[in-house]
Amino acid sequence: MFTAGLRRLACLAICGLALSLTGIARAADDDMPEAKGDAKLNAALRDVINRGADLYNSGDRNGCYRLFEGALLAVKAQMAGNADVIKVIDAGIADANAQQTVGFKAFALRKALVDVRTTLNGGKVAVAPKPEPKPEPQPEPEPEPKPKPKPKPEPKPEPEPEPEPKPKPKPKPEPKPEPEPEPKPEPKPKPKPEPEPKPEPEPKPEAGAIGNLAGVVMLAGKALGEAEITLVPASKLTDKGMSAKTDGDGTFELLEVKAGDYKVVVKGKDVPAKYTDPKQTPLTFKVQKGDNIGSFDLNK
C-alpha cells in the first residue's frame, strides 16, 4: 500500500505528464512543429526517471516502481494514436510483471521510460515478443471429510459442601497518629544554563561498504551507446576510478563500488570536452551501500 506521501508524489508525476501531453495536442491544433511538444514530454519523462531514482536510492523501491508505472500509463492514455510508443510501453509493463522482485520491476519500467524517450526522438527500439502465458494447473478435488464421532458427555462434578463459617476476630483498637513536624522549606536550586545545541555531523559511509550502480547515459535527450563512463573518487581526482561501457540503449552497470562521493566522467562520440575531464565535469554521484540507480543527461 502507498503511504500518503507516495500517493501525492505519484499523482504529481502523472499530472505533470498529462499537462505535457495536452500541450502536444494544442501545438498540433495550432500547426506548431511536433518536435517542440516531444521535447517537453522528454523533459517530463526525464524528471520522472530522476524522481524515481531518488526514491529507489532512499530505500523506497515500491514507491519508485509505482511512480514509473503511473507515468507509463499516463503516456499510453494520452498517445493512443502512436503505435510505436504503445508497443514500447506494453512490452515494458509485461517485462516488469514477469520479474520476481520490486527492485527488478522498477529497473524494467525505468528501461521502458528510456525506450519511450528514444522512440519519441526518432530512434528504434527492439521490442521482445510477449511470452505466452502457461496454463495454470487445475487443483485436484479434495476428498470429502469423514464424519467425526460424537464426543461422549463429560460427567458433571458433584457439588462440594459449603464450609462452616469461622468466628469473626475482635477488632483491635486503632493507634492514634502522632502529629507530623512541619517540613522546613528547601532552598530553590539555581537554574543551570542550557548548552547550545551542536550541529550533528553528516553521516559518513560505512568503512568497507560496497554498492552497485546501474543507470543510463543520455546526450541531448538521446541514449548514448558505446560510451565509457568512469567514477573517479572526489577526494582523489588523479585516481583511475572504475569504468564501464554503455549498451546501445545507453544503459550501464558498475558492480562492487566503494560507497562515497564520485566525479562522473563520460567519453564517447560527440561528448563535450568538459565531461571527459574529472576536474571539469559537472556530473557527480554519491554511491550508497546496496543498489543505486543513476541517470546522467549530457548537454552539448
Side-chain angles (χ1 to χ4, degrees):
M1 295 294 292
F2 267 137
T3 62
L6 290 181
R7 289 195 185 96
R8 287 195 294 272
L9 182 57
C11 290
L12 286 175
I14 295 173
C15 291
L17 278 173
L19 289 174
S20 299
L21 295 170
T22 306
I24 293 173
R26 287 200 298 270
D29 294 339
D30 297 338
D31 296 328
M32 295 292 287
E34 293 183 0
K36 185 175 181 181
D38 289 347
K40 292 180 179 179
L41 177 56
N42 265 313
L45 291 175
R46 181 188 61 199
D47 291 341
V48 170
I49 292 173
N50 291 338
R51 291 178 185 176
D54 292 339
L55 286 173
Y56 190 99
N57 292 333
S58 66
D60 191 359
R61 300 182 180 182
N62 187 56
C64 172
Y65 166 65
R66 293 302 180 187
L67 177 65
F68 287 167
E69 182 185 41
L72 288 170
L73 293 177
V75 174
K76 182 178 179 180
Q78 294 294 331
M79 300 198 70
N82 193 324
D84 292 336
V85 172
I86 299 301
K87 188 176 181 181
V88 169
I89 293 174
D90 289 342
I93 293 177
D95 185 18
N97 291 336
Q99 303 302 323
Q100 298 297 322
T101 64
V102 176
F104 284 110
K105 289 178 184 287
F107 268 105
L109 294 187
R110 179 196 58 76
K111 184 179 183 302
L113 288 170
V114 174
D115 290 345
V116 169
R117 295 187 70 198
T118 302
T119 304
L120 292 173
N121 287 329
K124 293 183 178 180
V125 177
V127 178
K130 295 182 179 179
E132 296 182 359
K134 295 181 180 180
E136 297 183 358
Q138 295 183 354
E140 297 181 359
E142 295 183 359
E144 294 182 359
K146 295 181 180 180
K148 295 181 180 180
K150 294 182 179 180
K152 294 181 180 180
E154 296 181 358
K156 294 182 180 180
E158 295 181 359
E160 295 181 359
E162 295 183 359
E164 295 181 358
K166 294 180 180 180
K168 294 182 180 180
K170 293 181 180 180
K172 294 180 180 180
E174 294 182 359
K176 292 181 180 180
E178 296 180 358
E180 294 182 359
E182 294 183 0
K184 294 181 180 180
E186 296 181 358
K188 294 182 179 180
K190 294 181 180 179
K192 295 182 180 179
E194 295 182 359
E196 295 182 358
K198 295 182 180 180
E200 296 182 359
E202 294 184 358
K204 295 183 179 180
E206 298 179 12
I210 298 297
N212 301 322
L213 174 60
V216 61
V217 180
M218 309 287 291
L219 179 60
K222 294 184 178 181
L224 182 61
E226 301 301 326
E228 182 183 57
I229 180 169
T230 304
L231 296 183
V232 180
S235 60
K236 191 177 181 182
L237 297 181
T238 57
D239 193 273
K240 293 183 179 180
M242 295 185 67
S243 302
K245 286 283 187 179
T246 62
D247 295 335
D249 58 357
T251 58
F252 69 92
E253 188 175 17
L254 285 167
L255 302 178
E256 296 185 359
V257 183
K258 289 184 178 180
D261 296 321
Y262 289 88
K263 286 279 192 174
V264 181
V265 176
V266 180
K267 296 180 181 180
K269 185 178 180 181
D270 298 331
V271 175
K274 66 179 180 179
Y275 295 106
T276 63
D277 187 352
K279 295 181 180 179
Q280 298 181 9
T281 178
L283 303 177
T284 60
F285 193 83
K286 186 171 185 176
V287 177
Q288 299 181 358
K289 183 179 179 181
D291 294 333
N292 298 261
I293 296 179
S295 178
F296 305 103
D297 201 343
L298 284 61
N299 299 319
K300 288 188 176 181

